[in-house]
């Protein structure tokens, strides 16, 4: 049996470090996914990891480049546009699932797709709403499908890179009056995302500057 283990990261670099750590444990990159709402990195090229404008869920464009390549998951980063969230830097099975769900669909038919994809992967609806809201506010989601006997070590790897659980972040959001993800709400601006990171997040590890 397998379980989907997910964490929300306030900083894109921390999420990328977590992906590398998971792959170093031997988890195939085909079982790992990253989706980040980080406009500051959407066009960046660091350590040879470029971002391909390869998927637009709102138009049903193919997301073939969103599957990790020979260099690992991060070698297959693409730009995925989701209604209510905007452009996401993404790669892996969750991104591919979303792109497939959007194929041939009109924009209005995609409402709730992100939350639906998360619940279908094994998350509770409550957790799915928290994770979707976290991405909307500028976070990055890392998910891994792992055997039951490896869940603990993958969770530990995600936690070391400052991943946050849905229960912890959901409690923080609800303290400020939030109740559930609304895909009709306006996308956050870059300044608003920065404010969210300052409110809930840490300073970030910026491990991209350290050899992995």
């Amino acid at each position: 049996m397998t379980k989907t283990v997910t964490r929300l990261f306030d900083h894109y670099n921390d999420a990328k470090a977590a992906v590398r750590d998971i792959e170093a444990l031997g988890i195939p990159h085909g079982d790992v996914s990253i989706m980040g709402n980080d406009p500051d990195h959407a066009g960046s090229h660091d350590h040879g990891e470029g971002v391909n404008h390869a998927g637009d869920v709102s138009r049903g464009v193919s997301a073939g480049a969103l599957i990790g390549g020979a260099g690992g998951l991060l070698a297959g980063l693409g730009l995925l546009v989701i209604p209510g969230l905007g452009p996401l830097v993404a790669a892996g099975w969750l991104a591919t699932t979303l792109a497939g769900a959007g194929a041939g669909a009109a924009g209005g038919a995609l409402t709730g797709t992100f939350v639906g994809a998360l619940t279908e992967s094994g998350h509770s609806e409550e957790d799915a709403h928290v994770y979707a809201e976290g991405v909307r506010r500028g976070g990055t989601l890392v998910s891994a499908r792992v055997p039951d006997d490896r869940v603990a070590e993958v969770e530990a790897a995600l936690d070391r890179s400052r991943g946050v659980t849905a229960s912890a972040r959901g409690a923080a959001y609800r303290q400020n009056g939030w109740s559930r993800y609304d895909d009709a709400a306006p996308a956050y601006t870059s300044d608003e995302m920065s404010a969210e990171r300052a409110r809930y997040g840490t300073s970030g590890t910026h491990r991209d500057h350290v050899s992995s």
Side-chain angles (χ1 to χ4, degrees), residues 3 8-9 24 31 59 67 69 80 124 139 145 165 186 189 208:
K3 178 181 179 180
L8 176 69
F9 294 83
D31 290 328
R59 296 191 179 95
I67 303 173
L80 189 67
S124 68
R145 299 180 296 198
T165 64
T189 66
D208 269 3

Side-chain angles (χ1 to χ4, degrees), residues 120-199:
E120 287 174 12
S121 68
H123 297 88
S124 68
E125 185 174 353
E126 180 179 351
D127 286 357
H129 276 271
V130 173
Y131 284 137
E133 181 68 16
V135 173
R136 175 174 173 262
R137 297 188 186 199
T140 300
L141 209 63
V142 174
S143 295
R145 299 180 296 198
V146 298
D148 287 344
D149 61 353
R150 304 203 66 187
V151 167
E153 63 179 320
V154 171
E155 287 181 333
L158 292 170
D159 293 342
R160 281 196 300 272
S161 291
R162 305 188 185 189
V164 182
T165 64
S167 59
R169 186 51 53 87
Y173 286 163
R174 284 186 282 272
Q175 286 181 349
N176 289 287
W178 176 84
S179 59
R180 61 191 287 117
Y181 170 70
D182 179 6
D183 59 11
Y188 271 51
T189 66
S190 182
D191 287 343
E192 288 172 331
M193 291 181 196
S194 295
E196 285 296 302
R197 294 188 184 102
R199 180 177 296 114

Side-chain angles (χ1 to χ4, degrees), residues 16-116:
K16 289 174 67 177
V19 167
R20 294 191 184 101
D21 288 346
I22 292 171
E23 291 183 326
L25 292 174
I27 304 300
H29 62 249
D31 290 328
V32 185
S33 182
I34 182 171
M35 300 190 69
N37 195 347
D38 190 346
D40 292 335
H41 287 81
S44 67
H45 291 74
D46 57 289
H47 294 282
E49 294 155 4
V51 175
N52 303 306
H53 292 244
D56 184 342
V57 172
S58 67
R59 296 191 179 95
V61 176
S62 171
L66 298 178
I67 303 173
L73 180 75
L74 298 176
L77 287 171
L79 194 62
L80 189 67
V81 181
I82 299 178
L85 292 176
L88 304 182
V89 177
W93 59 270
L94 183 56
T96 304
T97 297
L98 282 166
L110 294 170
T111 301
T113 295
F114 192 29
V115 170

